[in-house]
């Protein structure tokens, strides 16, 4: 089914960075396309022929003291599509969706290997935050201001 194909692509994309089996088993439990997000139009997948090659998913808008924000839940590109510009197109889609929802900021909890991609796209590094999934691991927190 399409969800299974997208979820398998997400894991191939994550494995591209050389993570071991133990870490990938943990990642598999959380790195999944949310059917509700797909139904609500908060996710988009790119396909080539019959295979998914990219995915972006955003969270529902929420209000904070600093304004309205949206989380970039997922952004994954198939390893064979890295460097094609697809990541930028999916990121731009997420920014557009956040703007249409009147958000002030797109928040990103990134894989350390993807931090440079997000800063190149205009996001600002805020701080490293502890991983909730893997003790001792930290993840870069970034924000892309939309105003």
């Amino acid at each position: 089914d399409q969800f299974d194909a997208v979820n398998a692509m997400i894991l191939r994309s994550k494995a591209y960075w050389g993570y071991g089996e133990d870490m990938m088993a943990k990642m598999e439990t959380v790195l999944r396309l949310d059917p509700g997000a797909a139904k609500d139009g908060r996710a988009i997948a790119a396909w080539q022929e019959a295979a998914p090659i990219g995915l972006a998913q955003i969270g529902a808008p929420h209000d904070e003291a600093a304004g309205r924000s949206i989380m970039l839940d997922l952004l994954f590109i198939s390893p064979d599509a890295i460097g094609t510009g697809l990541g930028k197109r999916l990121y731009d889609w997420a920014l557009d969706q956040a703007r249409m929802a009147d958000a002030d900021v797109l928040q990103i909890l990134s894989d350390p290997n993807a931090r440079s991609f997000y800063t190149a796209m205009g996001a600002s590094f805020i701080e490293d935050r502890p991983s909730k999934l893997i003790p001792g691991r930290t993840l870069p927190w970034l924000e892309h201001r939309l105003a």
Side-chain angles (χ1 to χ4, degrees), residues 3-105:
F3 281 96
D4 291 339
V6 168
N7 289 330
M9 183 275 303
I10 290 170
L11 293 176
R12 282 193 312 278
S13 176
K14 186 58 122 178
Y16 172 82
W17 299 109
Y19 293 124
E21 287 182 29
D22 288 347
M23 184 177 282
M24 289 304 301
K26 290 177 182 175
M27 298 288 179
E28 186 174 4
T29 66
V30 294
L31 296 180
R32 308 189 62 73
L33 171 61
D34 175 3
K39 181 178 177 252
D40 294 345
R42 293 184 290 108
I44 188 170
W47 294 76
Q48 188 169 55
E49 297 172 13
I53 58 169
L55 170 80
Q57 176 183 302
I58 59 171
H62 59 279
D63 294 317
E64 300 183 345
R68 193 165 171 82
S69 66
I70 289 184
M71 187 79 186
L72 179 65
D73 292 337
L74 302 171
L75 179 62
F76 287 95
I77 306 300
S78 179
D80 55 345
I82 291 173
T84 64
L86 178 59
K88 179 183 182 336
R89 289 194 305 274
L90 290 173
Y91 187 74
D92 286 344
W93 173 86
L95 291 174
D96 289 344
Q97 296 303 305
R99 285 184 185 103
M100 287 190 292
D102 293 325
D104 300 309
V105 65

